[in-house]
Amino acid sequence: MAEDTGMFTVSQTIGSVLCCKCGITMQPNAANMCTRCLQSEIDITEGLQKQVTIVHCPECNKYLQPPKTWTGAELESKKLLSFCIRRLKNLNKVRLVNAEFVWTEPHSKRIKVKLKDQMCETCSRAQVNPNQWVAVVQLRQHVTHRRTFFYLEQLILKQDAAKSAIRVRQMDQGIDFFFNNRSHALKFVEFLGKYVPIRTRSDKQLISHDPKSNSYNYNYTFSVEISPICREDLICLPPKVAASLGNPGPLVICNKVSSSISLLDPFTLRQSFLDADQYWRSNFKALMSSRQLVEYIVLDVEAISSEVNVGGSRCLLADAQIARVSDFGKNDTIFNVRTHLGHILNAGDYALGYDLCNTNSNDIELDKYKGLVLPEVILIKKSYEEKRQKKRGKPRTWKLRSLNMDIDSAAKGGGGSDEKMDSEYEQFLRDLEENPDLRFNLSLYRNKDYQPSELASVVDGEDPPSIPLDELLADLDLSDGDGDDDETIDLDSIRG
């Protein structure tokens, strides 16, 4: 047509790339590998039956169709080819494109059939490189501990939320989850939003483009940030946030974190809730975190109200006299404080709280409240450290499962990082023992290595909080076995 009209026609060219393994020039494809390298890397017959025995009658030239039917067919006929293919199992997992006989010696008594199947683009990439990801969820929380990630790990295991992840990697301030499908990553982000207040940002990067078919391949990144407000944090609410909540505090305690943040005023027992959108609009930080808790001894407790239920937890306002454990033998400093823990504290008990009289705070929200008089101490929870000292080294009756995670080199840090991680994990286990609400959505398993000691229970006296046996699941064997053998696609059938 172009020659008849005399018009100049631009010749069409197809771009070329280098094979990622051997480096030869080739036309681009989804795997970026040449045909020879693909054949050496991919086993498309995995899970398929590679051979089956066929019973042949040499007298009537028929083949047995189990259990009792005999079918007549000539060698290399379409009927025999169809008969052989129907005897193969698991062919419904692939799309059969072509089937043909492979020539063999007449006396070999074998029938060889060559089958060709077609795989989708996503599965082709997964077969070439199982670690090649399409979408990654980068989960981060900018705090100095990993208690939130320990809790999320157990939630993920309980709900099997990461079953579609091809790889999980532990990072310095979070965890990365890799998926070979964008929809799986989106579903995982949705799961996270049900249990912690998050905000997300998504980006995509072009990996390859085929101009002939006008197809694009992208890598998707979902950045998920968890609110830095954690359970037991002491917070000074910004004036606008406090006004929107009915003016509690302004000093409040975070007593629970889910899809929203639960805040408790320890002096009035008023409870307020902040959802994720409300929090990220103000984006305030904690005044003090759980790593700054100080241990006190309770000298006296006097209740000033009756016990109430606040958000499913018991509370009782009381006036208490306390002293720092570290001050024993040094001074006789005593603090008179008001606490919401009057229902569990008695004289002689230990408690953990925030020391505000010896803390230099540079919180900008605190400076907005002119004339605010800070209490000397705010108690957060009862301490069982003294009782646990007697039980140190003894195994627990229960245990937890863990995700199979790679550890990034940056997450290992210095030599003390392992000790810090172990200490934080031990604190997480103690939190589970002390707080039944915290372990409500988790699965805890019986420790088969635990050996109870009757003598210890008599001598040690009162034990620290523990988890009842009726809350534990039976210990499971979590090892994964490989049930499928590697197979080829050739069908070898015995004749005669």
Side-chain angles (χ1 to χ4, degrees):
M1 177 72 74
E3 294 180 356
D4 295 339
T5 58
M7 296 178 62
F8 175 75
T9 304
V10 179
S11 59
Q12 297 291 330
T13 60
I14 300 177
S16 61
V17 297
L18 299 181
C19 175
C20 63
K21 289 188 68 68
C22 64
I24 68 171
T25 303
M26 51 166 275
Q27 293 184 6
N29 56 40
N32 285 335
M33 282 191 186
C34 65
T35 304
R36 181 169 298 179
C37 292
L38 281 172
Q39 291 175 348
S40 65
E41 292 288 332
I42 301 177
D43 180 15
I44 64 174
T45 67
E46 184 177 1
L48 302 179
Q49 189 177 11
K50 72 174 183 179
Q51 65 180 12
V52 64
T53 301
I54 297 176
V55 180
H56 173 249
C57 177
E59 297 296 329
C60 60
N61 203 29
K62 291 184 178 180
Y63 299 88
L64 177 63
Q65 175 71 42
K68 296 182 179 180
T69 305
W70 290 85
T71 301
E74 297 293 331
L75 288 176
E76 299 190 0
S77 63
K78 293 183 178 179
K79 187 175 182 180
L80 181 58
L81 182 63
S82 176
F83 172 77
C84 293
I85 293 174
R86 285 198 302 266
R87 294 295 307 276
L88 285 174
K89 297 179 181 179
N90 298 330
L91 281 183
N92 58 340
K93 296 182 179 180
V94 297
R95 178 185 177 186
L96 189 61
V97 177
N98 185 36
E100 59 184 16
F101 287 105
V102 178
W103 182 87
T104 57
E105 295 289 341
H107 60 275
S108 67
K109 294 188 177 181
R110 288 180 179 270
I111 300 176
K112 290 188 177 182
V113 178
K114 182 179 181 181
L115 305 179
K116 295 182 180 180
D117 67 311
Q118 183 177 6
M119 302 175 68
C120 68
E121 184 178 357
T122 302
C123 293
S124 298
R125 287 200 301 266
Q127 287 285 343
V128 173
N129 184 1
N131 293 324
Q132 185 179 7
W133 55 273
V134 174
V136 59
V137 177
Q138 297 176 336
L139 185 61
R140 297 292 184 269
Q141 186 183 34
H142 302 298
V143 293
T144 57
H145 58 80
R146 297 186 66 89
R147 292 167 60 189
T148 303
F149 295 107
F150 292 143
Y151 178 69
L152 280 177
E153 179 182 12
Q154 299 305 315
L155 281 175
I156 291 170
L157 289 168
K158 174 68 179 294
Q159 305 293 336
D160 202 14
K163 63 180 179 180
S164 301
I166 59 176
R167 183 157 50 103
V168 181
R169 176 182 294 176
Q170 177 182 313
M171 307 300 290
D172 183 25
Q173 287 188 319
I175 307 175
D176 288 351
F177 297 85
F178 298 88
F179 301 87
N180 58 15
N181 193 298
R182 179 175 178 269
S183 62
H184 294 161
L186 286 171
K187 185 177 180 181
F188 185 72
V189 172
E190 182 182 357
F191 164 82
L192 295 173
K194 295 179 181 178
Y195 294 99
V196 285
I198 61 173
R199 64 177 175 181
T200 62
R201 183 173 63 88
S202 61
D203 296 288
K204 63 180 181 180
Q205 180 182 9
L206 180 64
I207 301 302
S208 62
H209 167 50
D210 185 0
K212 184 175 181 180
S213 60
N214 199 28
S215 61
Y216 298 82
N217 291 323
Y218 292 96
N219 274 354
Y220 299 89
T221 301
F222 298 90
S223 299
V224 180
E225 182 181 357
I226 305 175
S227 163
I229 303 298
C230 300
R231 193 174 55 85
E232 299 174 355
D233 284 355
L234 180 64
I235 302 164
C236 179
L237 290 174
K240 291 184 179 180
V241 176
S244 66
L245 298 177
N247 291 311
L251 293 180
V252 293
I253 300 171
C254 176
N255 61 341
K256 187 177 181 181
V257 176
S258 57
S259 57
S260 60
I261 301 173
S262 174
L263 304 173
L264 175 67
D265 187 336
F267 307 113
T268 63
L269 301 186
R270 289 182 55 188
Q271 189 177 32
S272 307
F273 295 93
L274 274 177
D275 60 30
D277 292 337
Q278 289 175 305
Y279 170 77
W280 291 114
R281 279 199 297 267
S282 54
N283 196 12
F284 55 86
K285 291 183 169 49
L287 180 64
M288 301 183 76
S289 67
S290 58
R291 295 178 65 87
Q292 299 170 276
L293 288 171
V294 178
E295 191 173 25
Y296 296 85
I297 185 170
V298 180
L299 304 177
D300 189 24
V301 178
E302 181 180 354
I304 61 174
S305 68
S306 58
E307 184 177 309
V308 296
N309 188 300
V310 180
S313 300
R314 298 161 52 201
C315 292
L316 188 150
L317 280 179
D319 290 331
Q321 285 188 342
I322 60 175
R324 295 190 200 93
V325 174
S326 60
D327 286 347
F328 277 9
K330 298 179 181 179
N331 57 60
D332 55 356
T333 304
I334 296 177
F335 302 97
N336 294 301
V337 300
R338 178 157 293 182
T339 178
H340 64 293
L341 304 176
H343 62 295
I344 57 174
L345 290 182
N346 298 294
D349 288 342
Y350 291 82
L352 295 174
Y354 292 115
D355 185 356
L356 298 180
C357 62
N358 292 324
T359 301
N360 294 324
S361 175
N362 57 357
D363 188 87
I364 60 175
E365 304 299 340
L366 196 61
D367 297 336
K368 296 178 182 178
Y369 292 93
K370 303 299 182 181
L372 176 65
V373 178
L374 296 178
E376 294 178 309
V377 177
I378 295 181
L379 296 182
I380 300 300
K381 64 179 180 178
K382 186 175 180 178
S383 174
Y384 301 93
E385 183 61 27
E386 184 185 25
K387 296 176 182 178
R388 285 196 170 95
Q389 291 289 342
K390 301 177 182 179
K391 296 287 185 180
R392 179 160 293 182
K394 298 180 181 179
R396 288 181 166 88
T397 60
W398 57 280
K399 61 182 181 179
L400 299 174
R401 297 166 57 187
S402 59
L403 284 172
N404 183 19
M405 289 190 289
D406 302 329
I407 300 180
D408 185 73
S409 58
K412 295 181 180 180
S417 61
D418 291 339
E419 293 183 5
K420 177 176 177 290
M421 183 80 71
D422 294 341
S423 175
E424 292 174 354
Y425 189 70
E426 173 63 24
Q427 184 58 52
F428 171 68
L429 299 181
R430 294 180 181 182
D431 291 343
L432 291 180
E433 292 174 332
E434 297 173 11
N435 193 341
D437 294 337
L438 193 61
R439 59 179 185 261
F440 178 75
N441 290 322
L442 309 184
S443 293
L444 290 77
Y445 297 90
R446 296 178 184 175
N447 185 4
K448 63 182 180 181
D449 297 329
Y450 173 76
Q451 297 294 335
S453 173
E454 296 182 1
L455 180 61
S457 62
V458 174
V459 174
D460 293 344
E462 185 181 358
D463 291 336
S466 60
I467 299 178
L469 290 176
D470 56 2
E471 294 186 23
L472 305 180
L473 302 175
D475 187 20
L476 301 177
D477 183 8
L478 303 176
S479 59
D480 295 326
D482 295 328
D484 297 333
D485 297 330
D486 293 336
E487 298 176 343
T488 62
I489 203 65
D490 288 340
L491 169 66
D492 295 340
S493 304
I494 304 298
R495 292 192 304 182

